[in-house]
Amino acid sequence: MKKISCIIVDDEPLAIDLLERYICKTPFLDYKNRYSNAIEALEILNKQTIDLIFLDIQMPDLTGIEFSRLMGKEIRIIFTTAFNEYAIEGFKANAIDYLLKPFNYEEFLRAANKAKEWFELKDSHNKLEVNNKDYIFVKSEYKQIIIYLDDVLYIEGLKDYVKIYLKSDPKPILSIYSLKALEAKLPEAKFMRVHRSFIVNLSSIKTIERSRIVYGKVYIPVTDQYKEKFQEYLSKNCL
């Protein structure tokens, strides 16, 4: 599992210094930065991906509880506070754990390990889902449509839209997705990006002509950026 990226949001300098030392001595945590107020931290969350926040509850302008309601659902929280009356409210905010100041490294590590277990469980669930799913749902014309992966020929990206071409239907499905977002949902073993505008179903390839994948009258070029990976796939699967 990759390291857990984390930040500190606290208005007490001594508390921040202690947390910094604890985080930096914990191998599975990737310390990013410290912030003395929640508003400043909120701006950073819009610019970079953070997994875990060590978050004080009682702060001026925006409390930790109020801040937690504005964050993305994927971000986990370990609340840190000197007031134990906030414990119940903290857990209602879906916190991983609650550290009551002053706390020692053993207490900190116990909370950090809870976060580690949560992210490991999430990763294993995501891997299982990707490996086992043979279909995806996509939004198209105000509907959710199920698409079986084996039925896909190729996918074409058009700015904020994609066209999904199927074996079973001559009319492509148009969906409001970026090609990059859809690529993340597809299993790498079955699909490959071969061009900035095209993803192909590897099992659907029947003909390759001069570095172009042929689907009837459609020719999809394999561009230089993706050629090495595609050639590697061909080498493994050709006699």
Side-chain angles (χ1 to χ4, degrees):
M1 191 192 91
K2 71 177 182 68
K3 285 189 174 185
I4 300 168
S5 61
C6 59
I7 61 172
I8 299 167
V9 183
D10 199 314
D11 64 337
E12 299 176 36
L14 291 177
I16 290 176
D17 290 343
L18 181 68
L19 277 167
E20 276 189 340
R21 291 201 302 273
Y22 287 171
I23 291 171
C24 290
K25 69 188 288 188
T26 305
F28 56 83
L29 295 179
D30 180 16
Y31 179 53
K32 295 299 185 183
N33 214 335
R34 57 195 282 176
Y35 302 95
S36 58
N37 68 78
I39 295 173
E40 184 183 4
L42 195 60
E43 292 177 3
I44 295 301
L45 295 183
N46 293 326
K47 298 176 183 177
Q48 66 182 96
T49 300
I50 297 297
D51 300 317
L52 178 65
I53 300 178
F54 292 90
L55 179 62
D56 189 16
I57 290 181
Q58 196 172 52
M59 292 186 293
D61 299 325
L62 193 66
T63 70
I65 298 294
E66 292 168 338
F67 175 65
S68 70
R69 297 184 186 126
L70 302 174
M71 296 185 323
K73 293 181 180 179
E74 295 300 311
I75 301 174
R76 298 293 92 185
I77 302 166
I78 294 176
F79 279 118
T80 62
T81 183
F83 303 94
N84 59 11
E85 64 265 28
Y86 289 117
I88 294 175
E89 195 173 0
F91 282 115
K92 283 181 180 178
N94 201 24
I96 289 277
D97 208 348
Y98 181 102
L99 287 168
L100 185 63
K101 300 174 183 177
F103 50 85
N104 58 32
Y105 182 64
E106 182 184 355
E107 293 169 312
F108 170 88
L109 189 58
R110 193 181 304 126
N113 274 319
K114 286 184 181 180
K116 181 172 179 282
E117 290 170 6
W118 189 90
F119 283 105
E120 285 175 341
L121 185 64
K122 176 175 174 283
D123 284 352
S124 64
H125 174 77
N126 287 345
K127 288 175 184 175
L128 183 65
E129 185 180 64
V130 168
N131 290 338
N132 289 344
K133 275 200 324 185
D134 59 359
Y135 62 87
I136 57 173
F137 280 96
V138 298
K139 296 177 183 177
S140 181
E141 298 179 355
Y142 307 102
K143 296 179 290 186
Q144 290 275 3
I145 298 176
I146 188 170
I147 294 178
Y148 291 95
L149 300 182
D150 287 342
D151 191 30
V152 176
L153 281 170
Y154 62 92
I155 303 163
E156 181 181 7
L158 303 164
K159 291 187 179 180
D160 295 327
Y161 292 82
V162 291
K163 282 184 177 180
I164 303 172
Y165 292 83
L166 305 177
K167 301 171 187 176
S168 61
D169 191 342
K171 183 181 178 182
I173 293 172
L174 188 65
S175 181
I176 304 176
Y177 270 104
S178 69
L179 197 63
K180 183 178 180 180
L182 188 56
E183 183 181 14
K185 297 181 69 173
L186 299 170
E188 289 184 14
K190 294 183 179 180
F191 290 84
M192 185 179 294
R193 186 90 165 255
V194 297
H195 184 280
R196 64 184 180 87
S197 300
F198 290 99
I199 295 172
V200 297
N201 181 350
L202 295 168
S203 65
S204 74
I205 298 174
K206 304 300 181 186
T207 306
I208 302 168
E209 179 184 299
R210 296 177 183 176
S211 295
R212 297 180 300 176
I213 300 167
V214 183
Y215 293 103
K217 295 181 179 179
V218 176
Y219 290 77
I220 297 176
V222 181
T223 55
D224 291 341
Q225 182 180 354
Y226 305 98
K227 191 169 290 184
E228 183 178 347
K229 187 177 180 182
F230 185 66
Q231 288 294 341
E232 183 180 338
Y233 165 77
L234 292 180
S235 297
K236 288 179 180 178
N237 292 278
C238 287
L239 295 176

